[in-house]
Amino acid sequence: MQQIPPLWLSPETHLARSTPDHPILYFSPRVLHDVANRFQRGFPGLVTYAVKANPHPAVLSNLVAAGITGFDVASPAEMDAVRAASPDAVMHYNNPVRSEVEIAAGIAHGVASWSVDEPSELDKLADVPKSCEIAVRFALPVAGAAYDFGSKFGAEPDMAIELLKRVAAEGWTPALCFHPGTQCEDESAWVEYVHAAKRIIDAAGVKIARLNVGGGFAANRDGVAPDLEKVFAAIWVAVDAAFGDDKPGLICEPGRAMVSESFTLAARIKGIRKAGEVVFLNDGIYGGLVDIRDMGLPGRVEVVAADGTRRGADAQPRVVFGPTCDSLDRLPDGLPLPRDTQIGDYVLFPGLGAYSSAMSTQFNGYGLSDVATVIELSGQARP
Ligand SMILES: *Cc1c(COP(=O)(O)O)cnc(C)c1O
């Protein structure tokens, strides 16, 4: 018979009953459904999910259950993961540098849309069926994101014009795509890209079927829920101003903002030294806390004792090390933790669904692999 894993009331009840000595992610499918619904209600086009943010089977199958039909994949392994979650999910293969073997895998998986940002990469796609869409990925030197993907991928507008002409001339369905970067807190990045897209298609003299505005939607970093609807509205106003009655279909591909709030990470305190100034956790930058190294301190950390009760004393700044024997395994900004924190307590990090388990290594025999399903997550902002 199929195993159905237990559903816990909350991270606190699970911690109190099982006092795990390894880091755990607590997943609330309800929160994921709420966020997926918010995107589908608010975004004026097709909402796809960028699998790399969190490819856990429970994430993919719950997104399918919430009505998500399209997935942004970057590798054959991600295609397999999507297929396992849904036999008819639509895949967009938006990693623009591909080996011959990867291209064959994409064709075999029935990828519907392929991005391209270089003539040499378009040359490689000769065997892609003409029924597919090829989206030219372009990049602008715009700020606004926590880090900039334009430095790695994306054709400059002049090259994008030439690529778009070639895609149309060679018989695929032409489209354009961009990705403004991750944790993009300024909607003007999308606005600039939308207007640049219009200039590219005018210069190419090609009508595009769809414009993919990428991911990069901000997640809650400091307890203030980002105003996604404001970003959706700014994108729609820009598309309306640029394209009028001749709008392309729109696609977005959130990763971080889709999944981050539905997981809370719990790491246990292994050691406390120097009158509380230094704390050792059983997870760190080689595990599920790597995004804290890259994105900075989250604002919503809580500490619970092994019996599940919350530590309530005022906060004291701490130096925080992870469990490995590498001195780099340290949270760059430390963490303020309550003064009554003790060895054996758990630090709860809400909003760690994205780029956590997906990027965790097994370095030194540590790492994040366990997920428990919960009904409620505290500390997470409701949409
Ligand atoms: C990583 C990525 C995304 C998702 O980015 P988030 O910041 O997680 O929303 C979307 N599209 C492409 C092409 C990506 O590489």
Side-chain angles (χ1 to χ4, degrees):
M1 239 202 353
Q2 188 193 354
Q3 287 287 318
I4 299 179
L7 180 60
W8 298 85
L9 186 59
S10 65
E12 290 84 350
T13 46
H14 180 266
L15 291 170
R17 301 246 161 86
S18 54
T19 53
D21 207 44
H22 53 276
I24 294 199
L25 277 173
Y26 291 104
F27 172 44
S28 168
R30 184 192 58 75
V31 174
L32 184 61
H33 280 248
D34 284 351
V35 177
N37 290 340
R38 187 176 172 193
F39 267 97
Q40 292 176 107
R41 266 198 316 272
F43 182 77
L46 178 69
V47 178
T48 67
Y49 171 63
V51 172
K52 78 171 183 285
N54 190 331
H56 195 286
V59 169
L60 300 179
S61 58
N62 274 284
L63 286 173
V64 170
I68 298 291
T69 56
F71 292 83
D72 165 35
V73 294
S75 61
E78 289 187 354
M79 295 171 201
D80 290 336
V82 168
R83 260 308 154 253
S86 165
D88 50 11
V90 174
M91 292 190 228
H92 298 169
Y93 188 179
N94 287 336
N95 182 343
V97 183
R98 307 176 181 92
S99 72
E100 297 289 334
V101 171
E102 289 172 333
I103 292 165
I107 294 171
H109 275 96
V111 162
S113 179
W114 304 65
S115 73
V116 70
D117 67 351
E118 242 278 321
S120 65
E121 291 293 333
L122 187 52
D123 295 343
K124 291 183 195 167
L125 299 185
D127 292 339
V128 168
K130 299 295 181 191
S131 56
C132 291
E133 174 183 87
I134 293 190
V136 174
R137 176 154 169 187
F138 68 101
L140 303 174
V142 299
Y147 49 82
D148 180 11
F149 283 62
S151 58
K152 182 165 183 182
F153 295 137
E156 289 186 5
D158 283 348
M159 187 190 278
I161 293 164
E162 295 311 311
L163 282 168
L164 196 57
K165 286 184 192 165
R166 251 188 83 188
V167 167
E170 293 178 25
W172 291 288
T173 301
L176 276 178
C177 64
F178 61 83
H179 176 54
T182 201
Q183 189 67 15
C184 187
E185 291 179 350
D186 183 353
E187 64 269 20
S188 67
W190 283 277
V191 172
E192 271 191 61
Y193 268 103
V194 166
H195 287 287
K198 171 66 169 153
R199 290 192 294 273
I200 289 168
I201 68 163
D202 283 351
V206 167
K207 186 170 160 59
I208 59 168
R210 298 196 292 183
L211 175 62
N212 179 342
V213 303
F217 302 92
N220 184 342
R221 297 283 314 158
D222 50 12
V224 182
D227 191 347
L228 292 174
E229 287 72 18
K230 187 169 158 227
V231 179
F232 301 152
I235 291 171
W236 183 249
V237 167
V239 169
D240 196 40
F243 293 91
D245 290 336
D246 204 17
K247 293 183 191 63
L250 298 181
I251 307 171
C252 69
E253 42 192 26
R256 177 185 297 282
M258 183 71 91
V259 78
S260 74
E261 282 301 297
S262 52
F263 288 81
T264 290
L265 191 153
R268 195 171 206 189
I269 294 177
K270 297 180 68 183
I272 300 183
R273 295 185 181 180
K274 298 194 179 170
E277 273 172 44
V278 176
V279 168
F280 287 78
L281 298 180
N282 66 356
D283 197 18
I285 66 159
Y286 295 103
L289 299 178
V290 57
D291 199 51
I292 292 181
R293 179 197 66 188
D294 297 338
M295 305 295 298
L297 194 61
R300 295 176 287 161
V301 171
E302 290 175 3
V303 175
V304 300
D307 66 1
T309 58
R310 190 142 310 173
R311 298 291 185 197
D314 56 325
Q316 172 187 355
R318 322 273 187 155
V319 172
V320 177
F321 288 108
T324 69
C325 299
D326 182 337
S327 55
L328 290 178
D329 190 5
R330 170 180 175 164
L331 300 189
D333 307 317
L335 273 182
L337 299 177
R339 279 182 200 283
D340 50 350
T341 295
Q342 291 178 21
I343 292 174
D345 288 356
Y346 296 93
V347 183
L348 298 184
F349 298 87
L352 269 192
Y355 307 111
S356 52
S357 52
M359 291 172 76
S360 176
T361 75
Q362 299 293 309
F363 181 39
N364 246 187
Y366 290 99
L368 181 61
S369 55
D370 199 10
V371 175
T373 308
V374 295
I375 297 173
E376 289 291 341
L377 289 173
S378 61
Q380 126 269 335
R382 296 282 183 85

